[in-house]
Amino acid sequence: MRDRILAYGLPIFVAVAVVGFWEWAVGAFEVSPFVLPTPSAIATAVVTEWSSLAASAWVTIRITIVAFVLALVFGVAWAVIFAQSRTIERALFPYAVTLQVTPVVAIAPLILIWVGLDNAERAVLILATIVAFFPILANTTLGLRSADRGLHELFDLYGASRLQRLTRLQFPAALPYILAGMKISGGLALIGTVVAEFAAGSGTSTGLAWVIYESGFNLRIAKAFAALALLSAIGIAIYAALSLLERQLLKRWHESATSVE
Amino acid sequence: MLLTFDHVTKRFPSGVEALKDANFAVADGEFVSLVGPSGCGKSTALRLIAGLTAPNTGAVKWAGTPPTLGFVFQDAALMPWATVEKNVRLPLELQRMEEAKIRDRVGEALNLVGLEAFARSYPRELSGGMRMRASIARALAADPKVLLMDEPFAALDELTRERLNDELRALWAGKNLTIVFVTHSIYESVYLSSRILVMSPRPGRVVADIAMDDPRARDPEFRATQIYGERCREVRAALKMREDT
Ligand SMILES: Nc1ncnc2c1ncn2[C@@H]1O[C@H](COP(=O)(O)OP(=O)(O)O)[C@@H](O)[C@H]1O
Ligand SMILES: [Mg+2]
């Protein structure tokens, strides 16, 4: 109980202290609102600009979620192919790494040309998926291989088919790894969406990244900060949702899920 | 003889020779212990019997068609994500047995090891001894004729181990079951077996074949008898183990 109060209380105390200091310091040192608006001004901007912010936030959320789901599907599918043979894994893994280490900003213009300049949202989606999928692939590949050797031999002994082994042994064994990968990928999908939107440029996409860019350009700094705050809130919500999912799925059988308390 | 190891040699691709010219036979209904120092190829011998791996030279032969096997792995090897019941069901489901029959068999197996009340528990909620019982129930569910056990009680505390020893002996006495039991405990082998095969250090082969009196007549008092002490000395001598006396 005491631990709980500390776990939630301390971060909240820090937040209140920082926001309070910020509010005071902007007034006391007469910082220009074009450089750093006060927290109250940002909060006001969230309220007054809500309709335009919410519309943009929805675009960002939608792309992030779809990119995340695509990353999950492709990452797991690719890992399952890897799990079928070491040779395939050796042949393809370098390309997965290449895709991962290539900066998304550098391939954005190419993707944009390939899908057509009037399909900016699709380009952003593809880029965000590329950014998000690697942790899923790497973790699932590792997880599918993590099942106990004795259990593998048990499956051998009773003549299990490849599909039985995959669905009843390798997948369950990989689940904790997949969920850990999902927590990383959820954040990356959001980051990928934002970066890709900046990189894709043009006025066609209308997510929060574009709001920040545009508001900065128009010197509406409070609105830019409001959009930034929304992005953080979305990121935190994604992480919290995936942590909750992880705890629910693993709570009875996996060590990690009980050590959280 | 039900099972014969005929000049079996097993070499791994790494070059390690686990077994070299191993010869022994197991008769129907025996409780045979394989005793030997760690790394001498005991697990490999069990995996050869189960057909999980093949010998390089020599042959592992069954009299007639190979019987149904049960395998109890080191460290229980239960699926942590499944309840005890689901773990015990696994072999039957993999063999696509019909549901009604599965339920009967699983109930019976859990009953035999005294785990009915824990059918819905997860392995991590159980003690080490209960986990091993679940593992034995899983091996018994497929109604094997031959039960292969790889150091099943090595990780348990002394008291739990002795209790499970008694349960296992009772189980074997009550069924027409052949057991090949791997252990590195001299005491355990003497207490349980109808015959003890002592193996040499790697590359393993059988260096002594010690016949015992009928284990059915034993009870925990057996550990206090003179004959028990003599048998232990005999096995130890065969192992050429020196005690720090
Ligand atoms: N799959 C394997 N590949 C290579 N070496 C192995 C393999 N399995 C076992 N060995 C080696 O064979 C020897 C015998 O192993 P094992 O049968 O497990 O011994 P024991 O069960 O008696 O301790 C050991 O040296 C071990 O390292
Ligand atoms: Mg072993």
Side-chain angles (χ1 to χ4, degrees):
Chain A
M1 195 58 210
R2 204 189 127 88
D3 268 6
R4 259 211 143 90
I5 292 172
L6 283 180
Y8 290 100
L10 278 180
I12 290 172
F13 174 77
V14 170
V16 170
V18 168
V19 168
F21 175 76
W22 177 355
E23 185 82 40
W24 170 80
V26 169
F29 299 109
E30 294 175 1
V31 179
S32 157
F34 295 116
V35 175
L36 185 67
T38 58
S40 57
I42 296 169
T44 311
V46 170
V47 176
T48 54
E49 305 277 357
W50 180 248
S51 62
S52 105
L53 282 173
S56 295
W58 174 237
V59 172
T60 300
I61 292 170
R62 203 180 59 218
I63 297 176
T64 301
I65 291 177
V66 176
F68 174 68
V69 171
L70 287 176
L72 184 62
V73 171
F74 282 120
V76 169
W78 198 335
V80 167
I81 294 169
F82 278 179
Q84 302 310 306
S85 116
R86 279 271 181 181
T87 314
I88 297 177
E89 183 182 339
R90 288 217 182 91
L92 294 184
F93 201 76
Y95 298 100
V97 175
T98 307
L99 211 49
Q100 162 71 6
V101 298
T102 308
V104 64
V105 184
I107 44 175
L110 277 177
I111 304 273
L112 202 59
I113 290 166
W114 289 336
V115 300
L117 287 170
D118 43 354
N119 271 331
E121 187 170 323
R122 194 177 302 164
V124 172
L125 179 63
I126 292 171
L127 291 164
T129 305
I130 291 173
V131 171
F133 107 112
F134 191 77
I136 304 266
L137 169 67
N139 275 32
T140 310
T141 304
L142 187 66
L144 289 174
R145 234 187 274 131
S146 72
D148 183 83
R149 179 170 169 219
L151 280 171
H152 269 296
E153 297 196 321
L154 190 80
F155 275 66
D156 288 338
L157 190 66
Y158 294 104
S161 67
R162 195 169 262 220
L163 187 65
Q164 281 177 324
R165 189 183 302 264
L166 186 66
T167 57
R168 310 207 46 178
L169 176 58
Q170 291 176 290
F171 253 124
L175 190 61
Y177 295 79
I178 297 175
L179 287 163
M182 282 167 69
K183 279 206 292 198
I184 302 169
S185 281
L188 284 180
L190 179 61
I191 293 171
T193 302
V194 170
V195 172
E197 208 181 324
F198 277 129
S202 78
T204 45
S205 66
T206 50
L208 284 174
W210 190 251
V211 173
I212 293 173
Y213 185 76
E214 201 178 38
S215 306
F217 191 74
N218 296 331
L219 292 181
R220 298 171 71 184
I221 306 301
K223 188 179 180 187
F225 270 88
L228 190 59
L230 281 184
L231 276 178
S232 301
I234 294 168
I236 292 168
I238 291 172
Y239 189 81
L242 291 173
S243 299
L244 186 70
L245 177 74
E246 180 181 47
R247 248 202 321 277
Q248 287 305 313
L249 287 178
L250 302 184
K251 72 178 161 198
R252 277 199 82 181
W253 68 272
H254 203 260
E255 304 293 340
S256 69
T258 37
S259 57
V260 168
E261 276 303 294
Chain B
M1 283 291 160
L2 178 66
L3 165 73
T4 311
F5 261 53
D6 185 12
H7 299 284
V8 169
T9 296
K10 177 69 191 178
R11 211 176 306 106
F12 289 105
S14 59
V16 172
E17 202 163 44
L19 295 173
K20 188 173 194 178
D21 198 29
N23 288 292
F24 64 87
V26 177
D28 199 11
E30 277 192 300
F31 192 131
V32 174
S33 285
L34 277 179
V35 188
S38 129
C40 75
K42 304 182 295 294
S43 298
T44 304
L46 281 194
R47 297 175 66 240
L48 283 162
I49 297 175
L52 293 169
T53 183
N56 293 87
T57 59
V60 177
K61 295 176 189 156
W62 293 100
T65 51
T68 317
L69 298 176
F71 205 130
V72 178
F73 295 91
Q74 234 163 324
D75 311 319
L78 298 170
M79 302 182 289
W81 54 85
T83 59
V84 166
E85 184 185 359
K86 294 219 170 94
N87 267 287
V88 175
R89 291 174 64 98
L90 180 77
L92 309 179
E93 286 177 355
L94 289 179
Q95 294 171 315
R96 302 185 193 286
M97 191 179 277
E98 62 216 72
E99 178 59 29
K101 219 164 146 190
I102 291 183
R103 229 172 289 145
D104 283 356
R105 290 275 193 89
V106 169
E108 204 177 310
L110 286 176
N111 197 24
L112 264 176
V113 299
L115 276 185
E116 314 93 313
F118 296 92
R120 284 173 206 292
S121 301
Y122 284 79
R124 65 186 302 271
E125 299 164 348
L126 304 179
S127 68
M130 277 152 73
R131 276 202 282 269
M132 196 36 83
R133 283 204 188 94
S135 187
I136 292 172
R138 178 180 63 192
L140 292 175
D143 199 20
K145 253 187 78 57
V146 177
L147 187 57
L148 309 172
M149 307 181 82
D150 193 356
E151 303 196 30
F153 309 137
L156 304 180
D157 63 86
E158 194 77 12
L159 284 176
T160 309
R161 174 188 265 223
E162 289 189 358
R163 192 164 62 238
L164 283 172
N165 279 174
D166 284 321
E167 288 178 14
L168 180 63
R169 206 162 35 75
L171 197 91
W172 168 77
K175 277 176 164 271
N176 178 25
L177 196 60
T178 306
I179 296 183
V180 181
F181 186 92
V182 163
T183 179
H184 56 235
S185 161
I186 296 168
Y187 308 109
E188 195 172 51
S189 68
V190 171
Y191 185 66
L192 288 173
S193 335
S194 60
R195 197 152 58 89
I196 298 173
L197 300 175
V198 179
M199 292 177 67
S200 68
R202 198 180 71 220
R205 63 202 166 77
V206 174
V207 291
D209 185 337
I210 303 169
M212 308 281 294
D213 305 322
D214 187 1
R216 275 167 247 262
R218 293 174 200 156
D219 60 29
E221 291 302 310
F222 177 60
R223 291 199 181 91
T225 62
Q226 199 183 348
I227 181 95
Y228 174 78
E230 274 167 25
R231 292 304 194 193
C232 289
R233 264 196 296 283
E234 197 176 335
V235 175
R236 182 173 296 118
L239 277 165
K240 292 200 187 75
M241 278 169 72
R242 285 203 205 96
E243 292 222 306
D244 319 354
T245 42

